Amino acid sequence: MASHLMPEPQAVRAELERILASAPFATSHRSQRFLSYVVENSCEEAHESLKEYAIAVEVFERDPSYDPAIDATVRVEAGRLRARLREYYAGQGRNDTLVIDMPKGGYRVTFTEREVSGSAPAPADPQSVIAAAGQVPPSTVEIPAAPVQAPGILRRMLRWEVAAALVLCGFLGWALLGHSRHPRSAASAKAPIVLAVLPFSNQTGSDANNYVTDGLTDNLIRQLSELPRLHVMARTAVERASRQAVVSQLGVKVLLVGKLRRNSEGRLVLDSELSNANGTVLRSSQYMADESDMPSVQADIVQDVIQGLGIELNARQSAGAQKPITTSPAAFQAFLRGDSAARDMSPRGMHASLQNYEEAVRQDAQFALAYSAMANSHMLLGLYYEPPRDHMPLARQDAERALAIDPSLHEAHGTLGLIHLVYDWDYGAAETELSAADARESAIRALSCTAHLHLLGDREHMRHAEEDLHRMLEFDPHSPGLINELGCVSYYAGRYADSIRYYREAIAADPQAAVTYWGLGRSLAREGHYSEALETLRHFKAMNGFEPPIITAEIGYSEALSGDRKAALATVARLQQESATTYVDPYLIAVVYLGLKDYDNTYAWLNRGYTARSSFLIGIATDPRWAGSRSDPRFEEIWNRMTESSRHVAALSSPAGTTTVQ
C-alpha cells in the first residue's frame, strides 16, 4: 500500500542521508549533488530551479552560456541518477518505507510512502513502486535499448571498441607524463570555494625531511578534495605558477600554506596558514610534528580548513574528515616515503615506492590507502616497464585488499578496473569497477581521464570526454597531461589535424614526455607526413638522451610506411636486441611488421603479445592503424582467444574460484 502525501521534512532528510551514504551513491559526488539539489528544490516547490538550465549552472557549474541543445550533461547525469536510485531500492533500500524517485520527463522528485513487511519482497525499483500506485504510467519505466547488431567479429568487438580506444594513449600519458593525484570537484549547490594547497616547504635544514612536506601536500590535496563546496587545484598547476599567478590566473580564492621547521628545542614544528586571496588570515595554527604526531597533524589541518571556511558536513562526511588515514605513526612515515619515491616514475622509483608501501602495511595491516598505492606501483611496472605477468596479479591482489578494507577508494577501483581491461581483457569487470568508482570524477584525481570516460560509453562519449577534459583544465590550465589527452581523443576520433595541434602544445609544456612525441608521431603518420613524423620521434632522444621502446617502434612503423623497408627491419633488429636487457612488449614489434605489410610476422608477434598478456594488445580493437586488418581470420582468431580468456578470468573470479590468474 503506497501513499503520496508529502512526508515530514525529517523523514525526507533521513531517507536522503541513507541514499547518499549507500554504495551506489557514496562514491558518486555528482549524483550526490544532483539528488540533494532536486530534493531540496522539490520540497520548496522551486519550479525555476528544476529547469535544465538552472541545474546545469548551479549543480554542474556550467557557464551561463549553457545551451541544452548542445550540452547534454544534465540529461546524461539524470539517467545515471535514476539508475543509482533503482539500484539502491533494489538492494540496501528495499525495506525503506519512503521512496524518493525522479520520474522521467522532468527533474522534480516524488516521495512515495509504502508499507514494507519483513518477509515480503521489495519492488525492484522506485519506478515500479510509483507506477503501481498510479502516479506514473508503466510506459514511463526505462527499458534498456536492444543492442545494435553487427556482422562477424565487429559484433563481438562493438562493446570493446570505445572502451579500448584511448586506454593505451591515456594511461601512458598518465604514467610517462608523471601523474599527480588530481583533485575531484566536490561542489554543492552553494557557491564553490576554489582552494590551492601551495607545496609545503621544508625549512628544517635537512633534505631528508622533504618526503614529509611532499607527502603532506599530496595527502591534504587528496583529503580536501573530498569535502563539499571545495574545488582544489591540481598540485601540478600550483607548482607551475607563482603565488600571485595562482590567484590572478587560476581564480583561486583561498590558499593553504605550510612550513616544517625546528624550534629552539630542536623539535619538529609544522606551521600552517589558511588565508583569502587578498591576504586575510582565516586560520593560523602550529603543530608539534614529531613522527608520533604526524597522522593526527594532517587530520587537524583538515579540520582547521573546515572550520576556517565554515563548511557544513553531514555525519558521514564529518567522520571521514576527522579520521586519520592510519593510526600508526610508523606506517604513516613509510607511506609518505613511498609517495615521495613514486613521484619518480622510473622503474627505480616504482620499486622504491613498493618497499615503503610494504613497510606501511606491515606496520598497519588495515592501511587501505597503502594497499591501493602498492597496487598502483605494481600496475605501472606491469604496464610499461617489466613483464605484466610479474606485476599484474600482485596489483590485483593489493587493489582487492584495499577495497576489502575501504570499498570507497576510487584509486583502487580504478586500478582494478584497468587490470581487468588491459590484463584480463574483461570489459564487463572493468566497466563494473570503473562505474563503482564514478570514473568521471575519480579520473581527475587518479588515473587517466580518457581511458575511464570511454570505458563507460559509446562513441557519443567522445564529445563528453572533451567536455570533461576542458572542465578539468580549469583546475590545471596548462597541464601537458590533459592537453595530451585532448590530442588522444582527437586521434581516435580521426581528427588528426586537431590531435597534432594538441600534441604540439603539450610538448611545448613538457618536452620530456615520451607519450606525447609518440602521439604526435602517430598523428603525423596518419596524415602521410612521414618525414616530419620521423623527425619528431627522433627528436625525443636528442632532447632527453634515451629512447623508450614505444618511440623506437613508432620510428620503425613510420619508416615502413615511408617505404624505407631496410631501415624498418633494422629498427626491428634493434628492438629485439634491446629485449635481451630490458622488457620490450611484443606488440610493439608487431606494429613495425604491420607497417611493412609482413602479416605473417605481424600475427606471430601479436601471438607472442597474447602469451605475454601485452598491455597494448587491447589497442587492436580501435587504433586506426589496425582497421584494415580486422577482416583477416588471424586477427579474428586472436580476438576470439582474448574474449575466451576474459571469460575464463571472470569464471575464476567468481565466489567459488580464485583471483590469481596469471
Side-chain angles (χ1 to χ4, degrees):
M1 183 76 178
S3 65
H4 308 296
L5 297 175
M6 176 61 73
E8 292 294 325
Q10 298 91 330
V12 173
R13 283 196 295 270
E15 181 66 9
L16 180 61
E17 288 292 331
R18 281 192 290 272
I19 295 172
L20 298 181
S22 68
F25 282 84
T27 57
S28 173
H29 289 275
R30 288 169 75 86
S31 288
Q32 285 181 340
R33 295 197 304 273
F34 197 173
L35 182 60
S36 298
Y37 180 85
V38 294
V39 167
E40 177 182 352
N41 285 279
S42 294
C43 291
E44 295 177 355
E45 298 292 328
H47 297 280
E48 291 302 318
S49 297
L50 291 170
K51 298 290 182 65
E52 183 172 348
Y53 176 84
I55 293 170
V57 174
E58 296 186 32
V59 178
F60 299 112
E61 298 154 18
R62 285 299 191 255
D63 189 86
S65 62
Y66 173 82
D67 183 351
I70 299 174
D71 188 339
T73 295
V74 177
R75 298 189 295 278
V76 170
E77 293 298 335
R80 291 178 174 172
L81 175 59
R82 294 183 182 108
R84 288 192 168 98
L85 284 170
R86 288 196 297 272
E87 182 182 352
Y88 171 73
Y89 284 109
Q92 290 174 254
R94 62 185 177 275
N95 292 321
D96 291 5
T97 56
L98 177 63
V99 174
I100 298 177
D101 185 37
M102 188 172 71
K104 292 184 69 175
Y107 304 108
R108 177 172 298 282
V109 300
T110 60
F111 307 96
T112 304
E113 294 182 343
R114 60 178 178 175
E115 296 178 3
V116 181
S117 64
S119 58
D125 59 63
Q127 296 275 7
S128 63
V129 174
I130 301 168
Q135 185 169 348
V136 179
S139 61
T140 65
V141 178
E142 293 182 75
I143 300 174
V148 178
Q149 296 298 311
I153 187 172
L154 290 181
R155 181 176 65 249
R156 290 188 293 277
M157 291 173 62
L158 192 60
R159 290 189 69 221
W160 289 64
E161 188 170 286
V162 177
L166 307 171
V167 67
L168 299 175
C169 174
F171 280 93
L172 271 169
W174 172 67
L176 299 182
L177 287 169
H179 84 289
S180 63
R181 290 187 172 90
H182 289 268
R184 258 200 328 274
S185 164
S188 68
K190 296 181 180 180
I193 301 170
V194 183
L195 179 143
V197 181
L198 301 187
F200 280 25
S201 62
N202 172 20
Q203 299 183 14
T204 64
S206 172
D207 289 344
N209 290 317
N210 284 343
Y211 79 92
V212 177
T213 49
D214 278 344
L216 277 174
T217 301
D218 287 338
N219 277 295
L220 284 167
I221 290 173
R222 178 195 292 119
Q223 196 165 0
L224 292 172
S225 298
E226 301 287 343
L227 297 178
R229 292 189 61 205
L230 278 189
H231 284 318
V232 185
M233 299 300 295
R235 178 169 180 169
T236 50
V238 175
E239 287 180 328
R240 284 192 293 268
S242 66
R243 178 169 179 154
Q244 182 178 0
V246 165
V247 173
S248 61
Q249 297 177 17
L250 302 183
V252 169
K253 303 301 182 186
V254 180
L255 298 169
L256 177 63
V257 300
K259 63 180 179 181
L260 185 68
R261 60 181 176 84
R262 290 196 181 275
N263 63 14
S264 58
E265 299 173 355
R267 295 188 62 185
L268 285 175
V269 175
L270 183 70
D271 299 318
S272 75
E273 182 179 279
L274 185 72
S275 63
N276 283 331
N278 61 12
T280 303
V281 176
L282 303 175
R283 200 90 174 181
S284 180
S285 301
Q286 186 178 100
Y287 310 94
M288 301 310 296
D290 290 334
E291 181 175 321
S292 60
D293 301 318
M294 200 61 73
S296 60
V297 165
Q298 179 178 317
D300 288 344
I301 294 174
V302 172
Q303 287 302 305
D304 279 345
V305 172
I306 293 169
Q307 295 170 15
L309 298 179
I311 296 174
E312 297 178 1
L313 304 179
N314 60 34
R316 179 179 55 81
Q317 293 166 332
S318 181
Q322 293 180 41
K323 182 181 178 182
I325 61 174
T326 176
T327 57
S328 167
F332 189 74
Q333 292 288 323
F335 181 74
L336 293 183
R337 286 192 291 269
D339 266 4
S340 182
R343 292 175 69 82
D344 175 3
M345 300 302 295
S346 69
R348 180 181 62 182
M350 292 297 99
H351 280 289
S353 72
L354 280 171
Q355 291 177 357
N356 286 288
Y357 294 142
E358 288 166 358
E359 174 62 22
V361 297
R362 277 195 294 271
Q363 296 292 335
D364 180 0
Q366 296 300 305
F367 198 167
L369 203 56
Y371 279 117
S372 178
M374 287 169 61
N376 222 25
S377 293
H378 275 303
M379 182 189 69
L380 285 176
L381 286 166
L383 278 172
Y384 311 117
Y385 300 119
E386 296 174 6
R389 290 181 179 274
D390 290 352
H391 292 282
M392 291 301 191
L394 295 174
R396 186 205 323 277
Q397 175 182 287
D398 290 332
E400 289 175 343
R401 284 176 177 171
L403 292 171
I405 298 167
D406 184 354
S408 70
L409 283 178
H410 300 86
E411 292 179 12
H413 278 294
T415 298
L416 192 55
L418 235 196
I419 295 165
H420 286 317
L421 183 69
V422 302
Y423 186 72
D424 300 335
W425 305 315
D426 186 344
Y427 173 82
E431 184 179 40
T432 298
E433 286 301 327
L434 294 171
S435 295
D438 195 5
R440 285 179 179 266
E441 297 293 329
S442 65
I444 304 173
R445 179 169 73 95
L447 302 178
S448 163
C449 51
T450 303
H452 280 152
L453 294 173
H454 291 274
L455 277 163
L456 299 176
D458 52 26
R459 288 196 180 278
E460 183 182 350
H461 285 73
M462 289 281 186
R463 179 170 61 84
H464 295 308
E466 290 177 289
E467 291 172 1
D468 286 337
L469 285 167
H470 284 296
R471 178 175 57 81
M472 287 184 252
L473 281 164
E474 295 175 8
F475 299 91
D476 199 352
H478 307 293
S479 166
L482 294 178
I483 297 168
N484 174 81
E485 293 292 338
L486 286 170
C488 192
V489 172
S490 300
Y491 173 82
Y492 283 100
R495 301 195 310 269
Y496 303 120
D498 288 341
S499 67
I500 289 168
R501 174 170 56 85
Y502 284 126
Y503 282 132
R504 282 178 171 153
E505 184 179 347
I507 286 175
D510 182 3
Q512 296 181 318
V515 68
T516 313
Y517 285 86
W518 178 55
L520 180 55
R522 289 199 302 174
S523 300
L524 289 166
R526 293 300 299 175
E527 292 282 74
H529 304 318
Y530 304 125
S531 296
E532 190 176 357
L534 288 167
E535 181 182 353
T536 296
L537 293 162
R538 289 168 178 154
H539 187 63
F540 178 83
K541 184 174 182 179
M543 287 288 293
N544 298 284
F546 73 100
E547 186 178 281
I550 57 166
I551 297 291
T552 306
E554 202 59 39
I555 288 173
Y557 180 72
S558 293
E559 289 170 337
L561 292 182
S562 72
D564 193 342
R565 185 176 183 84
K566 182 178 179 180
L569 288 171
T571 299
V572 168
R574 182 151 57 98
L575 284 168
Q576 290 179 282
Q577 184 178 3
E578 288 178 7
S579 68
T581 56
T582 188
Y583 179 68
V584 176
D585 194 304
Y587 171 92
L588 298 176
I589 296 177
V591 164
V592 184
Y593 279 118
L594 177 69
L596 288 165
K597 296 182 172 57
D598 181 346
Y599 299 118
D600 288 341
N601 272 313
T602 296
Y603 289 107
W605 282 94
L606 282 183
N607 276 299
R608 292 190 187 189
Y610 173 87
T611 301
R613 301 200 78 86
S614 164
S615 300
F616 290 86
L617 196 57
I618 197 172
I620 66 174
T622 47
D623 192 323
R625 72 181 77 197
W626 293 101
S629 303
R630 291 172 189 150
S631 60
D632 191 312
R634 292 170 292 185
F635 184 99
E636 184 169 0
E637 190 271 336
I638 288 176
W639 190 261
N640 287 340
R641 287 165 63 198
M642 292 171 66
T643 304
E644 288 298 321
S645 174
S646 71
R647 283 200 285 264
H648 176 63
V649 170
L652 289 177
S653 298
S654 67
T658 66
T659 55
T660 56
V661 176
Q662 297 187 31

